[in-house]
């Protein structure tokens, strides 16, 4: 995933013209720290001033706020400002299609005469990479029906274009985001109640499916080896592993690890 920091810190120096900068559109992976809308506006100003070419990687649309429209705000703002850009969009997480690699690449340009050439080059790249992409994920828009004893493909309702299915999907996103927020709050409250050293406000300030705990590699090793709490050694943990029955145990494990390093 991208990192917005190089662009956010740019002040007109250190970037060459038309340099590409990659950025997570929402629920930044792995930090979970998204710029505010005002910060996005400032980032966009830098991009335009330095003639940078942004590449947005949006793999968690709908999983930051629970609203896919709100999570796409930054990208749409850049487009409204006349910024040419690339958007790599994945449906692995927000549609639960991890094993099917469904997504798309959007290329936004201001000069329509360049579209044919861009399409030609994009086709060459895709053919060189995979020729014909896997169809399994795309089959979410199809269904199999038994017709006179034979299974046939029948066009089915698309989630994004059928009101009932779209509403069900949007509700599911809200449930997931609500759960993420609940376990973040529960973990922070447990750590605060234990009087664990440090400030834990970053846990609830972050968004998305992952949490940066702010622990050192040595502390993470102790969590894994002594408490069987598994996370990456840079302190990133998946929130899906937390629930009401184990959040207190995890908090106590973190507290114990920190006490040992005081």
């Amino acid at each position: 995933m991208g990192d917005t920091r190089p662009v956010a810190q740019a002040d007109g120096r250190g970037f060459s013209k038309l340099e590409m900068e990659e950025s997570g559109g929402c629920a930044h992976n792995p930090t979970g720290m998204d710029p505010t809308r005002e910060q996005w506006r400032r980032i966009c100003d830098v991009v335009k001033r330095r003639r940078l070419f942004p590449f947005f990687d949006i793999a968690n649309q709908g999983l930051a706020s629970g609203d896919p429209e709100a999570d796409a705000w930054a990208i749409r703002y850049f487009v409204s400002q006349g910024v040419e850009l690339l958007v790599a969009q994945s449906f692995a997480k927000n549609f639960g299609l991890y094993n099917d690699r469904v997504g798309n690449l959007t290329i936004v340009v201001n000069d329509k005469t360049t579209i044919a050439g861009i399409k030609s080059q994009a086709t060459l790249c895709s053919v060189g990479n995979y020729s014909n992409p896997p169809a399994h994920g795309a089959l979410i828009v199809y269904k199999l029906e038994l017709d006179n004893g034979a299974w046939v493909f029948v066009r089915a309702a698309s989630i994004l274009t059928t009101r009932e299915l779209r509403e069900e999907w949007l509700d599911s996103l809200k449930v997931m985001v609500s759960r993420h927020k609940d376990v973040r709050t529960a973990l922070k409250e447990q750590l605060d109640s234990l009087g664990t050293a440090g400030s834990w406000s970053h846990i609830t300030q972050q968004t998305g499916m992952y949490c940066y705990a702010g622990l050192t590699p040595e502390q993470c090793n102790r969590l894994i080896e002594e408490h069987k709490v598994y996370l990456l050694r840079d302190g990133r943990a998946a929130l899906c592993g937390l629930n009401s029955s184990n959040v207190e145990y995890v908090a106590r494990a973190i507290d114990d690890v920190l006490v040992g390093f005081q």
Side-chain angles (χ1 to χ4, degrees):
M1 300 291 285
D3 188 341
T4 61
R5 288 173 295 180
V7 177
Q9 293 172 355
D11 59 0
R13 297 169 293 177
F15 288 112
S16 59
K17 290 184 178 180
L18 303 180
E19 182 176 352
M20 180 178 288
E21 288 296 331
E22 186 183 10
S23 173
C26 65
H28 184 268
N29 182 359
T31 67
M33 298 300 291
D34 293 339
T36 64
R37 290 191 177 186
E38 178 55 32
Q39 289 170 334
W40 274 123
R41 291 187 182 97
R42 293 170 59 191
I43 293 170
C44 185
D45 288 341
V46 173
V47 168
K48 290 192 294 183
R49 185 170 70 248
R50 299 301 301 159
R51 296 182 61 198
L52 303 177
F53 189 84
F55 186 165
F56 284 92
D57 183 354
I58 184 165
N60 297 279
Q61 187 176 358
L63 295 176
S65 67
D67 181 357
E69 297 295 322
D71 288 353
W73 184 89
I75 295 171
R76 290 173 178 169
Y77 177 77
F78 273 61
V79 173
S80 74
Q81 297 301 300
V83 177
E84 296 183 315
L85 49 82
L86 293 176
V87 182
Q89 187 175 20
S90 169
F91 300 132
K93 296 181 178 68
N94 56 8
F95 274 91
L97 295 171
Y98 280 93
N99 212 32
D100 295 308
R101 315 312 300 165
V102 183
N104 61 59
L105 176 68
T106 301
I107 305 172
V108 179
V109 295
N110 294 324
D111 183 357
K112 293 183 179 180
T113 64
T114 64
I115 293 177
I118 292 172
K119 184 177 180 181
S120 174
Q121 291 301 311
T123 300
L124 288 174
C125 290
S126 64
V127 169
N129 278 307
Y130 49 69
S131 185
N132 293 302
H136 308 89
L139 293 178
I140 61 171
V141 298
Y142 287 84
K143 64 179 179 180
L144 283 171
E145 284 189 357
L146 193 60
D147 181 18
N148 295 324
W151 288 103
V152 295
F153 278 117
V154 179
R155 190 72 176 179
S158 166
I159 291 175
L160 293 178
T161 58
T162 305
R163 182 175 60 83
E164 294 81 2
L165 294 178
R166 182 183 178 89
E167 289 179 355
E168 182 180 348
W169 174 64
L170 292 173
D171 287 342
S172 297
L173 289 177
K174 292 175 183 176
V175 170
M176 291 179 65
V177 171
S178 177
R179 182 188 179 280
H180 293 162
K181 291 180 179 178
D182 287 346
V183 295
R184 286 181 184 277
T185 299
L187 179 59
K188 180 181 181 299
E189 289 177 349
Q190 288 286 345
L191 290 167
D192 288 342
S193 67
L194 291 170
T196 305
S199 171
W200 299 97
S201 59
H202 60 280
I203 293 177
T204 50
Q205 291 172 351
Q206 296 168 3
T207 63
M209 302 172 64
Y210 305 101
C211 174
Y212 248 139
L215 303 176
T216 67
E218 294 79 9
Q219 291 164 344
C220 292
N221 284 334
R222 282 196 58 196
L223 274 178
I224 295 169
E225 295 169 3
E226 299 177 18
H227 299 281
K228 308 308 177 187
V229 174
Y230 295 95
L231 71 169
L232 296 182
R233 285 167 174 78
D234 62 3
R236 186 180 70 148
L239 291 176
C240 61
L242 277 179
N243 55 57
S244 58
S245 64
N246 65 17
V247 66
E248 181 180 356
Y249 175 84
V250 172
R252 291 188 178 278
I254 293 173
D255 184 71
D256 178 65
V257 165
L258 288 176
V259 168
F261 277 83
Q262 288 180 351

